[in-house]
Amino acid sequence: MLNLLEDARELEGTLKEERDRATVIVSAMSEGLFVVDPTYTITLINPTAEKMLGVAPGKLIGKKFTEVTRLYKDGIELSEKERPMIKAMQQEIPLISSLEDGYFAVTPTGRIPVALTVIPIKRDGKIVRGLVTWRDISKDKAVKEGVALDGFICPGHVASITGSSAFSFIPDKYRLGCVITGFEPLDIL
């Protein structure tokens, strides 16, 4: 009997360590993370998502995701059935959007372009949760459109304009965005 109690305490300690580790990881994410149940009720939200939506910690737990978020595509607010989360959960398929999909979320600071990932989570063949991440892609959009970022732009085909690549002159912190988008940087200072 004593061994069973010791095993239970050890298991409880291990579970607490794993829960604490998962909490640290979720809290440190730079993307907004929501977990919803099959009725689209928020069961978990990370600090990044709370900050994006301008709400105090814990205020959205138990609220319907569709009631506390507004999502637009190409300037038009999406109805509940048009939302990527609803589609992914109903069709039981993951959904990943990108810059080109044209999604915007409304936040206290205005509308921001977002990339979404929705992953339905199944257990025993039934959807039990949905994992939703939002990423603010404002900077990605600016880079793609050639908008200045701290004195630099990343337009396509710089070589055709300048006759040479300006890539080696851009600060390292902007190179990754230019590499990801396929644009070359141009120093506009």
Side-chain angles (χ1 to χ4, degrees):
M1 182 72 136
L2 187 56
N3 285 341
L4 290 175
L5 287 174
E6 287 175 4
D7 290 347
R9 285 187 186 131
E10 185 178 325
L11 180 58
E12 188 176 304
T14 301
L15 289 173
K16 182 183 179 329
E17 286 176 24
E18 289 300 318
R19 190 178 313 114
D20 291 347
R21 187 181 345 241
T23 300
V24 167
I25 291 168
V26 167
S27 295
M29 290 178 64
S30 62
E31 295 179 331
L33 172 79
F34 305 87
V35 176
V36 297
D37 69 13
T39 66
Y40 314 118
T41 300
I42 298 170
T43 60
L44 183 133
I45 183 170
N46 74 345
T48 303
E50 291 171 328
K51 184 177 178 183
M52 286 174 79
L53 294 173
V55 297
K59 291 287 185 187
L60 296 182
I61 300 295
K63 307 252 186 209
K64 294 279 188 192
F65 183 82
T66 53
E67 294 173 3
V68 298
T69 60
R70 292 176 45 206
L71 192 63
Y72 290 75
K73 182 171 179 162
D74 300 324
I76 300 169
E77 186 170 6
L78 297 176
S79 68
E80 188 169 307
K81 67 180 182 177
E82 295 173 307
R83 289 174 174 235
M85 181 193 62
I86 305 293
K87 287 181 177 182
M89 298 269 292
Q90 288 178 349
Q91 296 172 12
E92 299 184 5
I93 58 169
L95 181 140
I96 300 171
S97 75
S98 67
L99 178 66
E100 287 76 27
D101 291 320
Y103 289 114
F104 282 82
V106 174
T107 70
T109 59
R111 289 174 32 171
I112 58 167
V114 293
L116 306 164
T117 301
V118 182
I119 301 172
I121 301 170
K122 291 183 179 183
R123 183 182 306 144
D124 299 326
K126 290 184 176 182
I127 302 262
V128 293
R129 293 283 186 264
L131 178 81
V132 182
T133 62
W134 285 13
R135 183 171 61 88
D136 179 347
I137 55 172
S138 299
K139 290 181 182 175
D140 302 37
K141 188 172 171 69
V143 167
K144 181 159 177 121
E145 294 174 355
V147 177
L149 292 173
D150 293 337
F152 293 92
I153 60 173
C154 296
H157 311 297
V158 169
S160 66
I161 297 168
T162 64
S164 66
S165 173
F167 193 75
S168 60
F169 301 109
I170 192 121
D172 287 341
K173 68 180 182 176
Y174 297 116
R175 285 188 187 170
L176 179 60
C178 295
V179 169
I180 289 171
T181 61
F183 294 127
E184 291 185 277
L186 173 65
D187 185 347
I188 61 168
L189 292 178

